[in-house]
Amino acid sequence: MATKNQPTIIFIFGGSGDLTYRKLMPALYNLYLDNYLPEKFLIVGIGRTDFTNATFRNHSKKGVEEHSRRKEEVKPGWKEFAPCVEYMKADLSNDATYKNMLKRVHEAGEEWRAKPTTIYYMSVAPQLAPTIAEKLHKAKLTADCKRSRMVFEKPFGHDLNSATELNIQLGEMFKEEQIYRIDHYLGKETVQNILALRFANALFEPIWNSHYIDHIQITAAENIGVEDRGGYYEQAGALRDMVQNHILQLLCMVAMEAPVSFDADEIRNKKLDVLRAVRVWEKDEVHLNAVRGQYGKGWMEGKQMKAYREEKNVSPTSNVETFAAVKFFVDNWRWKDIPFYVRTGKALQSKTTLITIQFKAAPQYAFPSKAGETWRANRLTISIQPQMDIRLRFQAKQPGPHMALQPVDMIFSYNDAYGDDHQQPEAYETLLEDVIEGNPTLFMRADQVETAWKIIQPILEVWQTRPPVDFPNYSPGTWGPEDAEALIAKNGHHWVTLPEDNQ
Ligand code: BG6
């Protein structure tokens, strides 16, 4: 692994774009403030917009002021940070661009008297990334495989075939260790904490299996529509946008076996084992195990909201799903026959990402029946965002002369323990630091990406060949289509929301 003191140049393709403005620059600046960037570093935005170094610096500063978790701290350090930010106006298809980059790498190397590590961040439309990668390879910018890395944003491929092709194409030019496929959920503090919760405590692991757990739920809900991303979303839909990556990764964190070490490949192998064990539905089983939805028009928090089909760059007859719920099984010894219900959607009632571990009922119920009117089985709820906490529900005796039971929550809150979330690094900070350090643990390996596509491929195909007849089928501000309730109600379950829900 490289050290923090390795001089580094970060080239950002799509330097003038939205991701750079809202996420990458604020993350890099926070890393700088926290002293996590190498002593010698350079950030070069590359794009077609007409920026000079000076105007790009101002533009980046605005992005940081608007989107950093520590807006008020921008001013003091910016003066020293700004000279390390440059801009290169360039045509990405032109070989001259890559020659200029090479020249800049040499110049910096001479100035620093050390060969810099180079990072190439593809913050561009996915169809451009392979061309850029090819040009980088041709210009020998990535020839030193220990000191050059490429970061790919999702979507990585559009389906199983395209992802496999892309992996083969990249594999012909680069070593797998140079390729960092980002899934920003893996950088979230609360997601990384799942490993700590499970494997740094002796308490949970003995009951973390089908003997004690009844079922598991993962909800990743958003209370906004597709906003200005209609063009992208029309090609994606909820299954590709959230389930293939973020949600399956969360499922892996919950279901994986204990790693032997924290070695990047050890953790990724354990996660891959989970994906390989996920039952892949036959096409004629898809309708029994997956539900899709699309929001119509309606009201959300007192504001009128457009239907998905009325959004910008969306076809008025679009059949793209903005909601997906799927029932998965992980066919291995630990999880045999335990359902994993996952759901995600836009324009739902609230923004919340939640993992629920629902335990089985106590085996013997000795209390008088009256005592147990409010009795509930144990449940562990891991709130990923925006609320960041872990709750363990158990039974307590209600104070009073009689024996009456009541579910209560024991809560670990991040904010109470560590201060508010402005003090905690954002996902992109963690992930960028890992790229700089050369630590791929939290990034997707080629085989993980392909296996995840394999899991959702039959659902994609069935949904594509059988257009929905009921779209739009849910109103904004709800929890999605009724069929999603039915999907899990037929097994006697219901979706959990927090915090009021105590069923
Ligand atoms: C992105 C999806 O990967 O994740 C978006 O493309 C989605 O559609 C976003 O809104 C959600 O991320 P977060 O961190 O806000 O839950």
Side-chain angles (χ1 to χ4, degrees):
M1 214 182 279
T3 67
K4 174 168 149 354
N5 286 328
Q6 177 66 38
T8 302
I9 307 184
I10 304 166
F11 289 101
I12 306 177
F13 294 99
S16 47
D18 207 42
L19 183 73
T20 311
Y21 185 76
R22 296 158 71 101
K23 295 282 182 196
L24 303 182
M25 277 300 178
L28 287 165
Y29 187 57
N30 278 324
L31 286 177
Y32 170 76
L33 288 182
D34 290 335
N35 213 13
Y36 284 133
L37 286 188
E39 226 165 89
K40 296 188 171 106
F41 72 92
L42 191 60
I43 299 164
V44 185
I46 305 178
R48 282 205 285 199
T49 310
D50 232 347
F51 283 122
T52 60
N53 279 347
T55 55
F56 183 62
R57 285 170 190 156
N58 282 341
H59 169 79
S60 303
K61 185 171 178 225
K62 236 178 106 206
V64 178
E65 281 165 346
E66 280 170 27
H67 299 287
S68 167
R69 66 187 160 92
R70 299 186 291 203
K71 299 184 177 55
E72 67 292 349
E73 282 176 54
V74 179
K75 232 178 172 178
W78 188 263
K79 241 187 175 162
E80 284 109 66
F81 178 79
C84 305
V85 177
E86 295 181 359
Y87 186 76
M88 211 179 252
K89 178 171 186 259
D91 173 356
L92 299 181
S93 60
N94 191 338
D95 289 344
T97 301
Y98 302 84
K99 282 199 183 127
N100 288 339
M101 289 168 65
L102 202 56
K103 194 165 151 250
R104 190 65 192 96
V105 175
H106 285 312
E107 280 168 8
E110 273 173 24
E111 187 193 325
W112 294 337
R113 292 172 195 268
K115 194 173 174 214
T117 293
T118 49
I119 292 167
Y120 306 96
Y121 200 113
M122 311 284 180
S123 177
V124 290
Q127 61 274 21
L128 290 178
T131 316
I132 298 173
E134 241 177 82
K135 301 260 181 208
L136 288 171
H137 172 69
K138 211 170 122 203
K140 300 212 171 4
L141 278 154
T142 50
D144 182 344
C145 60
K146 294 271 171 243
R147 292 224 182 127
S148 57
R149 294 165 207 142
M150 273 156 297
V151 185
F152 290 88
E153 274 289 337
K154 67 173 254 280
F156 197 86
H158 188 68
D159 54 14
L160 178 58
N161 280 344
S162 56
T164 311
E165 266 170 38
L166 184 52
N167 279 333
I168 293 174
Q169 194 186 350
L170 296 177
E172 283 164 359
M173 299 183 281
F174 313 105
K175 291 239 160 72
E176 176 64 25
E177 69 198 63
Q178 292 180 277
I179 305 172
Y180 284 66
R181 301 172 190 82
I182 258 193
D183 184 314
H184 79 278
Y185 266 54
L186 294 180
K188 292 181 191 275
E189 283 294 321
T190 41
V191 173
Q192 293 177 72
N193 189 49
I194 299 171
L195 291 185
L197 176 82
R198 289 194 55 202
F199 304 127
N201 297 295
L203 194 62
F204 300 110
E205 226 22 49
I207 54 169
W208 207 265
N209 56 50
S210 61
H211 300 300
Y212 295 96
I213 291 176
D214 181 67
H215 73 278
I216 289 176
Q217 298 184 13
I218 302 176
T219 293
E222 292 181 271
N223 57 357
I224 50 172
V226 291
E227 302 193 304
D228 53 2
R229 294 172 75 226
Y232 153 76
Y233 207 83
E234 279 284 272
Q235 306 302 315
L239 204 57
R240 285 190 178 91
D241 188 45
M242 294 290 292
V243 179
Q244 189 270 345
N245 34 69
H246 309 322
I247 288 189
L248 283 178
Q249 283 303 306
L250 293 179
L251 190 150
C252 286
M253 303 286 268
V254 171
M256 70 191 266
E257 296 300 318
V260 172
S261 74
F262 248 67
D263 178 70
D265 271 330
E266 169 63 6
I267 302 233
R268 296 192 294 180
N269 288 342
K270 289 288 190 280
K271 289 184 5 186
L272 179 63
D273 283 347
V274 175
L275 292 175
R276 286 174 45 230
V278 172
R279 195 179 302 167
V280 179
W281 295 120
E282 296 295 332
K283 285 194 184 164
D284 60 1
E285 294 171 318
V286 165
H287 69 288
L288 297 171
N289 297 293
V291 166
R292 58 185 151 169
Q294 188 191 75
Y295 60 86
K297 69 165 136 207
W299 293 85
M300 179 89 106
E301 290 166 6
K303 283 198 200 122
Q304 193 154 26
M305 201 168 152
K306 282 184 192 163
Y308 175 69
R309 287 176 176 174
E310 296 164 346
E311 302 273 17
K312 202 169 117 204
N313 298 326
V314 169
S315 153
T317 56
S318 175
N319 282 331
V320 167
E321 81 284 357
T322 58
F323 176 97
V326 187
K327 175 156 92 177
F328 289 118
F329 287 99
V330 178
D331 288 332
N332 61 16
W333 274 44
R334 187 191 281 263
W335 297 116
K336 190 75 191 141
D337 294 334
I338 297 302
F340 284 71
Y341 301 115
V342 309
R343 64 174 174 169
T344 184
K346 301 274 184 195
L348 296 180
Q349 198 177 99
S350 64
K351 176 159 177 80
T352 176
T353 304
L354 201 68
I355 301 174
T356 308
I357 319 292
Q358 179 65 57
F359 290 95
K360 290 184 173 164
Q364 157 74 354
Y365 190 72
F367 295 89
S369 55
K370 189 115 184 75
E373 275 169 3
T374 50
W375 175 89
R376 299 283 179 268
N378 296 117
R379 178 195 282 165
L380 184 74
T381 312
I382 306 171
S383 301
I384 304 293
Q385 62 179 18
Q387 207 166 311
M388 296 164 77
D389 59 37
I390 297 177
R391 295 158 183 259
L392 180 61
R393 183 175 78 180
F394 58 93
Q395 307 307 309
K397 179 187 172 301
Q398 265 185 48
H402 304 293
M403 175 54 82
L405 299 173
Q406 190 186 28
V408 291
D409 277 350
M410 196 154 69
I411 304 176
F412 157 64
S413 147
Y414 273 74
N415 288 358
D416 291 349
Y418 302 122
D420 69 24
D421 52 7
H422 298 293
Q423 290 168 36
Q424 292 154 31
E426 283 203 2
Y428 273 98
E429 293 172 42
T430 305
L431 295 172
L432 278 165
E433 199 208 338
D434 283 352
V435 180
I436 293 168
E437 286 196 348
N439 178 0
T441 314
L442 298 177
F443 294 81
M444 308 279 288
R445 220 170 44 190
D447 48 4
Q448 289 178 293
V449 173
E450 287 173 27
T451 314
W453 277 117
K454 255 183 218 156
I455 293 167
I456 69 157
Q457 189 65 30
I459 309 176
L460 284 176
E461 285 174 19
V462 169
W463 285 1
Q464 197 168 343
T465 48
R466 291 185 210 151
V469 287
D470 59 348
F471 274 12
N473 61 355
Y474 72 95
S475 302
T478 65
W479 284 107
E482 275 176 22
D483 285 354
E485 302 297 333
L487 175 73
I488 88 169
K490 58 190 178 203
N491 293 78
H493 300 138
H494 76 283
W495 293 104
V496 173
T497 48
L498 273 186
E500 307 77 10
D501 184 304
N502 234 344
Q503 296 306 296

